[in-house]
Structures are given as C-alpha cells and as structure tokens.
Amino acid sequence: MNATTISPRTASTETPLVEAIGVRKRFGHHEVLRGVDLTVRRGEVVCLIGPSGSGKTTLLRTLNHLETIEHGMIRIDGRLIGYRQERDRLHELAPREVCRRRERIGVVFQHFNLFPHMTALQNIIEAPVGVRRMPRKDALEEARRLLERVGLADKAGSYPSQLSGGQQQRVAIARALAMHPDLMLFDEPTSALDPELVGEVLAVMRDLADSGMTMIVVTHEIAFAQQVADRVVFMADGVIVESGPPEQVIGNPQNQRTREFLQAVL
C-alpha cells in the first residue's frame, strides 16, 4: 500500500464536512498541488476557479480518492478519505474500503459517463441496488422522483444516445443524488455542453444549492459562481491564491493574479 506523510498543522476545533490540510500531489516531476488547505462547511457551496492547469480538477479528485496524495491529509465528515492512520503515517486503504468511504460523495464529471446500454432509469438505480442493496422497487420509485426533480420525468426509458448533452448531464446528477450524498463534487459539468444547453444544467445545480446540498464546483462559469457560491476559491500554479465571498474574489479581487485571470475571462 502507498503511504503519505501527515502535515504537522492541526485542524480547527469545529469539524467541517470537508477538510484538506497541506495536500500535495505530483505527476512525475510536476507538482500539481503544492500544499493546499481547504475547509468546507456543511451546506456551503464553494466554486473553484482558475486557469487550466492550476490544480482545480486534481484537488477535486483527491477529495474522493480518485487521485492519491503524497503529503497532507483529507477528511470528509471527520474521517480520513482513502487512508488509515498509523502514528505519523497514512497508509492507503484497500479498494473495497475506499469505495465504502466514498459512498456518500457524489461526483458529476465533464463527460456524463452514463452506461450507454442502460436507460436513464436504469443508470440511476444501478448503484443504489448494486452497492447499497436497496430493494429494486424502492430504487425505481426514487429514481422517478429524481428524474422529475431534474426535469426529465418523460425520459425514464430513453438511452443516453437519445438524449441531448444537457439531458445526459442532468441524468448524471440524478444518478449521483440517488446515493443520498452528503457532498456533491462537480468537475466542470458544463464544459462539454453546447452553449444553449448550459443553462438547464446550471438551473438544476442552483436548485441543489438552494436545498442546502454541500457542493464543490470546478467551473469556468464565472456568473454562476458569482450568483450561487457562498465562497469562491481562485487557484493558480497548484496553490490557493485567493478565497472569499464572490463579491470579494470576483467583484473586488485583492491579488494581482486573480485580477489578471478575471480580466481575461470576463
């Protein structure tokens, strides 16, 4: 098993839902994350913005152990994600235990990742039935409710190839919600969509935010971040450069690197 060193820094006395401390990640000789600290409170919506290659997606992927880390630690709801601790070292858990610990973390990717041979309804019930052992009847009822929630009640029997990109992404969101997640991670969920389809996905995400779902969103949709986020985190070169409420980070950035980025994208 892989082992990683633990950062000597200590956490706050209040336990956040997400806590990343001193996280470092390297691909070959390139250090993608260079000592990132991030905490997210329960019910908070955090948007990660920044240039391509800044480490946003890598950070997101470490939060449910899709990527391992070389240094630091990550806790979700007070529990280490992907590792067990022995004294001052973290040792990677077996794959089955990793899966158990990430069950309550929903992830929505750029490219939907729906099973092409399954209908929208079948895609949604796959994990609740196969992983959580939910009775199929209950899973079907809940899947239909979720499809209605994302505005696709009439698409239950449609296959991914019969759906637009925006519809596929909304099915992917419903699929993630079917596992009753405590945390939803979104990795540029609109970047693969035609411009006219972006709004329908963002509307579903706004509804989730309004319902109190804890969300971390990697996005280039600055207007969405400005309207929906409780906090905006600007990353560049593997570090968090600036963090705060959107009216500060987007409306009145204090760091020159943040200002340059926003001038370029806006």
Side-chain angles (χ1 to χ4, degrees), residues 91-262:
H91 298 269
E92 190 172 8
L93 295 170
R96 181 175 296 180
E97 181 62 23
V98 171
C99 289
R100 276 199 292 266
R101 294 202 182 186
R102 65 159 69 113
E103 278 183 15
R104 301 302 289 270
I105 304 173
V107 185
V108 178
F109 301 95
Q110 296 180 36
H111 295 289
F112 329 135
N113 293 348
L114 300 177
F115 295 112
H117 62 289
M118 293 183 180
T119 65
L121 200 67
Q122 290 168 336
N123 265 280
I124 294 170
I125 70 169
E126 178 70 11
V129 172
V131 177
R132 293 180 56 213
R133 306 303 183 198
M134 180 185 287
R136 184 178 177 84
K137 178 177 178 293
D138 296 342
L140 286 168
E141 289 178 0
E142 183 166 22
R144 290 191 177 95
R145 285 196 297 270
L146 288 169
L147 282 173
E148 183 174 4
R149 181 176 183 179
V150 300
L152 294 173
D154 61 334
K155 300 294 183 182
S158 298
Y159 289 89
S161 62
Q162 299 170 315
L163 301 173
S164 70
Q167 290 169 336
Q168 290 184 62
Q169 193 62 293
R170 284 185 281 160
V171 172
I173 293 172
R175 179 180 60 181
L177 292 175
M179 291 295 285
H180 297 181
D182 297 316
L183 169 67
M184 286 285 287
L185 307 177
F186 292 87
D187 183 14
E188 298 189 27
T190 61
S191 64
L193 301 179
D194 292 333
E196 65 269 21
L197 302 177
V198 169
E200 62 190 47
V201 174
L202 294 183
V204 172
M205 294 172 64
R206 285 190 182 93
D207 176 68
L208 281 180
D210 290 342
S211 74
M213 175 64 72
T214 310
M215 298 164 55
I216 303 177
V217 185
V218 173
T219 184
H220 291 296
E221 301 288 342
I222 303 301
F224 173 83
Q226 198 163 17
Q227 296 163 10
V228 177
D230 297 301
R231 183 155 45 103
V232 174
V233 174
F234 174 71
M235 291 187 66
D237 302 318
V239 299
I240 292 176
V241 175
E242 191 163 351
S243 176
E247 59 268 23
Q248 172 192 314
V249 175
I250 297 174
N252 186 29
Q254 302 301 299
N255 188 279
Q256 178 62 27
R257 184 69 184 88
T258 314
R259 290 195 291 269
E260 291 172 352
F261 170 77
L262 290 171

Side-chain angles (χ1 to χ4, degrees), residues 49-110:
I49 65 171
S52 297
S54 60
K56 307 182 301 298
T57 289
T58 300
L59 176 60
L60 198 78
R61 290 174 64 84
T62 65
L63 295 180
N64 72 340
H65 204 64
L66 287 174
E67 296 288 354
T68 59
I69 59 176
E70 278 86 42
H71 183 82
M73 66 169 61
I74 296 170
R75 294 191 186 97
I76 305 296
D77 201 16
R79 299 185 70 197
L80 288 171
I81 185 73
Y83 296 93
R84 57 182 170 81
Q85 183 173 347
E86 291 183 2
R87 297 184 181 181
D88 62 342
R89 301 284 289 179
L90 297 181
H91 298 269
E92 190 172 8
L93 295 170
R96 181 175 296 180
E97 181 62 23
V98 171
C99 289
R100 276 199 292 266
R101 294 202 182 186
R102 65 159 69 113
E103 278 183 15
R104 301 302 289 270
I105 304 173
V107 185
V108 178
F109 301 95
Q110 296 180 36

Side-chain angles (χ1 to χ4, degrees), residues 30-41:
H30 178 49
E31 193 170 30
V32 181
L33 299 176
R34 301 190 290 125
V36 173
D37 295 326
L38 178 70
T39 59
V40 180
R41 302 185 308 274

